[in-house]
Amino acid sequence: MNIKEYFSSLFKGTHSLIKGMEVTGKELFTKKVTEQYPENRGELKIPERFRATLQFIYDEEGYHKCIACKTCERNCPNGTIEIITRMVDLPNGKKKAKLDKYMYDLGSCTFCGLCVTTCPTNAIEFSNDFEQAVFRREALLKQLNYLPEKEKPAPVAKPAPAAKPEATKPAQEPAAKPESKPQAQAAQDPAPAAKQDDVQPNVEQKETE
């Protein structure tokens, strides 16, 4: 190492040391903020986007939107989610897979959020409850569908529309065929009178006899 390289490295080291001391000096005069946890638990403000643990979204009636499609299970990078399904019979006679247990391992979750963003029905979300410390690892395995499963009422079949009564059509009598003109004319006209010339020969014949 020549003299030029030696003084160059010495200058860089001194510059980095001054930079580090500058950050330390700022913190020396910054106002100290101490969180009195857990005494101030009721005053803590946790950001809404903080990802603490996965949970189901239940409505006011106690129903969830999970359809057991297993999209979140397939997209989880380390197998944190396990969905157990069961087959149920539908009113139309078909069978369908329904959610039985939604198992979530908080201990192996990386909080990446892929399960939430890819859920087609928006059935799950991350809560901001950070107090998840336990004494046993088994306690980190949770069943998210913890409420008793409610059966949705079967859709009421619509009554079939009443058939419209068909109007009774009167029986049509076959129309009388019109008679031909010569026959009709013959029926109307009286028989022609016998001509006088035709009668006279008969009279003369009687006289000669």
Side-chain angles (χ1 to χ4, degrees), residues 14-48:
T14 306
H15 182 267
S16 63
L17 177 62
I18 294 173
K19 278 295 207 182
M21 294 301 293
E22 182 181 353
V23 175
T24 306
K26 286 182 180 179
E27 291 297 327
L28 183 62
F29 298 99
T30 303
K31 183 181 178 180
K32 304 300 182 290
V33 178
T34 304
E35 294 286 349
Q36 300 296 331
Y37 179 81
E39 287 79 7
N40 63 346
R41 184 179 296 175
E43 302 174 0
L44 285 177
K45 294 182 180 180
I46 309 300
E48 294 182 0

Side-chain angles (χ1 to χ4, degrees), residues 1-8:
M1 178 184 294
N2 54 21
I3 298 176
K4 185 178 179 180
E5 292 177 351
Y6 172 77
F7 282 102
S8 177

Side-chain angles (χ1 to χ4, degrees), residues 129-164:
D129 182 14
F130 67 94
E131 296 179 335
Q132 301 295 330
V134 293
F135 292 98
R136 296 179 299 105
R137 185 175 178 83
E138 293 78 10
L140 296 175
L141 185 61
K142 302 181 179 182
Q143 180 177 344
L144 298 191
N145 56 331
Y146 57 91
L147 292 181
E149 193 72 19
K150 291 185 178 182
E151 295 292 338
K152 291 187 176 181
V156 180
K158 295 182 179 179
K164 295 182 179 180

Side-chain angles (χ1 to χ4, degrees), residues 65-102:
K65 298 180 181 179
C66 182
I67 56 176
C69 63
K70 297 188 178 183
T71 302
C72 53
E73 181 181 357
R74 291 191 297 268
N75 291 326
C76 184
N78 54 351
T80 301
I81 299 173
E82 180 185 4
I83 296 178
I84 303 173
T85 59
R86 55 187 173 87
M87 300 301 294
V88 295
D89 296 328
L90 298 178
N92 57 3
K94 297 182 180 179
K95 291 187 176 182
K96 180 183 178 182
K98 192 174 182 180
L99 177 66
D100 187 21
K101 291 182 180 180
Y102 194 108

